Amino acid sequence: QSALTQPASVSGSPGQSITISCTGTSSDVGGYNYVSWYQQHPGKAPKLMIYDVRNRPSGVSNRFSGSKSGNTASLTISGLQAEDEADYYCSSYTSSTTVVFGGGTQLTVL
Amino acid sequence: EVQLVESGGGLVQPGGSLRLSCAASGFTFSTYWMSWVRQAPGKGLEWVANIKQDGSEKYHVDSVKGRFTISRDNARDSLYLQMNSLRAEDTAVYYCARGGNRKLDYWGQGTLVTVSS
């Protein structure tokens, strides 16, 4: 199972919006609405930000939103804040009854 | 408060074995799928395995099949990962997480496994 494809890095200024893409295949991202997104600060455990493509867990800011089109899922962060600087990972259920993560995207807030 | 606390990591020689444990509290452990995810130093997340509530279904990533086995003890609110025939490429922080295929909503702080001679 190959990892989902994410850009290695993205950046934005405070207050701006950024979008991180996550590209898979019809056997994972495109085939199921089980895409989730995780935020990880250095030295910390990952934190769930989005699940089932677009749902936010309780306590996650509504500045975070998710979507999907075909084999590509996206995470959008609006009103960028310094605290958003972190690594972001997407994941998806697969037709092999396994789970696959993306390679991760480093977000820099300029 | 949901808590997941991993233990059992350490330094092991190639070909050796380790058993990781994850102690769960703050929720009804027996009603949730559970998972293991690892992260090699400076690398991304890699899903390792998950297990159904009653242990009747278990899934492992291809790279660990035949070497690692996920299990659970609902009476002890504990999750395990038995790791045999360890290789250098298994060196990573291993996280225990609540959930299965849809989402991993709580994570432990991880335990470091180092495979080296």
Side-chain angles (χ1 to χ4, degrees), chain A residues 1 34-36 38 40 43-48 51-52 89 92-93 96-103, chain B residues 37 39 43-47 50 59-62 65 95 100-110:
Chain A
Q1 181 68 50
Y34 290 164
V35 175
S36 51
Y38 302 87
Q40 186 180 35
K44 300 295 186 181
K47 175 186 177 183
L48 177 67
Y51 67 97
D52 292 353
Y89 296 89
S92 175
Y93 178 66
S96 303
T97 64
T98 59
V99 173
V100 63
F101 280 93
Chain B
V37 176
Q39 186 170 34
K43 302 297 185 182
L45 301 174
E46 181 184 29
W47 174 82
N50 61 21
Y59 303 98
H60 300 77
V61 68
D62 284 348
K65 280 181 182 176
Y95 293 102
N101 300 322
R102 289 178 60 200
K103 60 179 178 177
L104 302 176
D105 58 359
Y106 287 92
W107 297 62
Q109 285 306 301

Side-chain angles (χ1 to χ4, degrees), chain B residues 78-110:
Chain B
S78 293
L79 178 72
Y80 305 102
L81 186 68
Q82 177 66 45
M83 304 187 297
N84 300 328
S85 302
L86 282 160
R87 306 167 180 167
E89 54 264 36
D90 296 319
T91 293
V93 173
Y94 284 73
Y95 293 102
C96 162
R98 189 178 81 169
N101 300 322
R102 289 178 60 200
K103 60 179 178 177
L104 302 176
D105 58 359
Y106 287 92
W107 297 62
Q109 285 306 301

